[in-house]
Amino acid sequence: MTRLSAITPSGPTHVGNYLGAVRRWAREGGPDDLYFVSDLHGMTTPYHPQKLRSRTRELLATLIAAGIAPDTVFVQSDLLPQLGPLTWVLECSCAFGEAARMTQFKEKSADRTHEGTPVRVGLFTYPVLMAADILLQGADEVPVGDDQAQHVELARVLARRFNSTYGEAFVVPRAVTPPAGARIRDLTEPTRKMDKSARDAAGVLFVLDEPDLLRRKVKRAVTDSMGRLEYRPDDQPGLANLLEILAACHGKSPREVVAGYSSYGEVKDAVAEAVVEELAPLRERVRELLADPAELDRIRAVGGERAAERGAHRLSTVLRLAGVA
Ligand code: TYM
């Protein structure tokens, strides 16, 4: 069984990425799994090449520091020679309307329009590249947070369509979302998801933030004036979000954890300590890995070769079936 997933270096990793995704990949990962830094997806909105490169390294180090087996980790652009052709084949199997329906595209393109910056075609085709990532490797399961489930659904549709139109080439993947921490929200704007590229970092707990900064951000989290200690995401989104973070840290459900506290302040203190305890050792290991660039390069090369070897046969089958090789 192959699980595959990725994280985009569009900003520093936050606690939502960690609790909703990376930590699970580390805990549940098997020898056939693949986890990668999707740097090509980081080009779909305005970016600085040097920052993209350094964030890619930082994320690669974060995946390894989180405990994912180093030989199952790679960088997406190291597979560009295979992903380029496969993305084109899949784009030619994907209807315009299917891509246009993607919620993330609608949200991100609206943000760009709001800022007055052009919407890149790459932002529109982003889910098709993601389908290529998944289908190239024959992944059975794709562990993601809620926000990516729709993209995995598109990959399923494209796999089935290709298989039935041109011949069996792809495994039909399925998304798996975590029971807790699937959608961590911004602490200052709890109706929005926590986002690496949020304009204001006050509501985003970054994995590499200093412990004191994490504590300050939690202390300033928006709650409400109801004074009811219950898990009610619709009516009390701020408190519910804090409970979700706490629950994900402790491996419990939000309703289980809420019983142990008698004030919002107590909940915040508990969240701050749980997050610091979870992230401080990770931050230390990331630092150590970044201090040895040659070793990081070596790990990157090994993982990239392994993934490229795995994908080569499927790509040639697909091109042959599609009539172009
Ligand atoms: P990305 O970098 O946006 O997110 C990485 C993972 O973190 C999850 N996530 C969250 N989970 C809980 N709460 C949040 N606030 C939150 N924000 C993000 C995401 O669901 C994801 O699992 N396009 C993908 C990367 C990608 C990919 C792939 C994933 C590229 N190719 C192939 C799976 C398979 C992305 O940008 O994720």
Side-chain angles (χ1 to χ4, degrees), residues 255-272:
R255 286 201 170 81
E256 275 173 303
V257 294
V258 71
Y261 303 97
S262 52
S263 72
Y264 292 179
E266 271 181 32
V267 172
K268 284 188 175 178
D269 287 346
V271 171

Side-chain angles (χ1 to χ4, degrees), residues 4-10 14-22 25 36 38 41 59 76 104 108 126 129-131 133-134 142-149 151-152 178 181-186 193-196:
L4 170 143
S5 204
I7 180 160
T8 302
S10 49
H14 56 67
V15 80
N17 303 132
Y18 182 65
L19 295 175
V22 176
W25 307 343
F36 60 98
S38 42
H41 279 102
L59 269 182
Q76 189 185 29
Q104 192 178 77
K108 293 208 167 169
Y126 163 128
L129 172 59
M130 186 165 153
D133 291 328
I134 298 168
V142 186
V144 284
D146 276 352
D147 61 330
Q148 295 292 337
H151 294 161
V152 182
R183 191 178 177 84
I184 304 289
R185 291 154 200 278
D186 190 289
K193 74 164 185 175
M194 194 175 276
D195 193 340
K196 293 185 216 96

Side-chain angles (χ1 to χ4, degrees), residues 29-30 48 79 84 96 115 157 198 209-210 214-215 226 251:
H48 300 287
L79 263 63
F96 185 88
E115 282 171 16
V157 169
D209 278 348
E210 302 273 345
L214 291 172
R215 289 193 185 98
M226 292 181 216

Side-chain angles (χ1 to χ4, degrees), residues 45-305:
T45 51
Y47 73 97
H48 300 287
Q50 259 146 355
K51 230 182 222 167
L52 181 66
R53 209 184 291 281
S54 66
R55 284 209 174 116
T56 298
R57 292 184 75 77
E58 194 179 284
L59 269 182
L60 187 66
T62 305
L63 297 185
I64 300 161
I68 299 175
D71 63 337
T72 64
V73 166
F74 69 98
V75 173
Q76 189 185 29
S77 57
D78 292 342
L79 263 63
L80 197 52
Q82 299 179 335
L83 290 172
L86 185 55
T87 302
W88 178 248
V89 170
L90 294 172
E91 278 174 8
C92 294
S93 306
C94 181
F96 185 88
E98 282 169 330
R101 263 202 299 281
M102 295 293 117
T103 311
Q104 192 178 77
F105 172 72
K106 287 194 218 163
E107 283 171 8
K108 293 208 167 169
S109 56
D111 287 350
R112 299 266 81 81
T113 309
H114 182 71
E115 282 171 16
T117 50
V119 177
R120 300 181 175 190
V121 173
L123 186 65
F124 186 69
T125 58
Y126 163 128
V128 187
L129 172 59
M130 186 165 153
D133 291 328
I134 298 168
L135 301 181
L136 178 68
Q137 304 294 345
D140 304 284
E141 284 190 358
V142 186
V144 284
D146 276 352
D147 61 330
Q148 295 292 337
Q150 195 187 24
H151 294 161
V152 182
E153 190 52 41
L154 181 68
R156 283 171 68 83
V157 169
L158 298 182
R160 285 212 192 93
R161 183 171 300 147
F162 187 95
N163 288 349
S164 63
T165 314
Y166 301 109
E168 280 298 316
F170 295 124
V171 173
V172 180
R174 62 188 187 92
V176 280
T177 50
R183 191 178 177 84
I184 304 289
R185 291 154 200 278
D186 190 289
L187 298 183
T188 53
E189 239 184 304
T191 48
R192 288 181 74 97
K193 74 164 185 175
M194 194 175 276
D195 193 340
K196 293 185 216 96
S197 35
R199 251 165 264 129
D200 181 1
V204 185
L205 300 170
F206 292 115
V207 164
L208 300 182
D209 278 348
E210 302 273 345
D212 276 347
L213 182 56
L214 291 172
R215 289 193 185 98
R216 277 204 302 279
K217 286 181 176 176
V218 173
K219 208 156 256 169
R220 290 199 200 119
V222 168
T223 49
D224 57 73
S225 54
M226 292 181 216
R228 277 176 71 164
L229 264 174
E230 279 173 56
Y231 176 65
R232 299 193 308 154
D234 290 340
D235 298 330
Q236 296 177 272
L239 178 65
N241 190 37
L242 291 171
L243 293 170
E244 274 169 40
I245 296 174
L246 194 55
C249 288
H250 291 332
K252 292 186 175 163
S253 76
R255 286 201 170 81
E256 275 173 303
V257 294
V258 71
Y261 303 97
S262 52
S263 72
Y264 292 179
E266 271 181 32
V267 172
K268 284 188 175 178
D269 287 346
V271 171
E273 285 327 302
V275 167
V276 166
E277 199 177 303
E278 193 73 46
L279 299 185
L282 179 69
R283 184 163 155 262
E284 221 25 67
R285 284 199 295 277
V286 171
R287 281 210 178 140
E288 283 165 22
L289 284 158
L290 289 174
D292 189 353
E295 175 61 5
L296 206 54
D297 285 343
R298 194 194 60 80
I299 293 174
R300 174 174 174 165
V302 170
E305 272 164 35

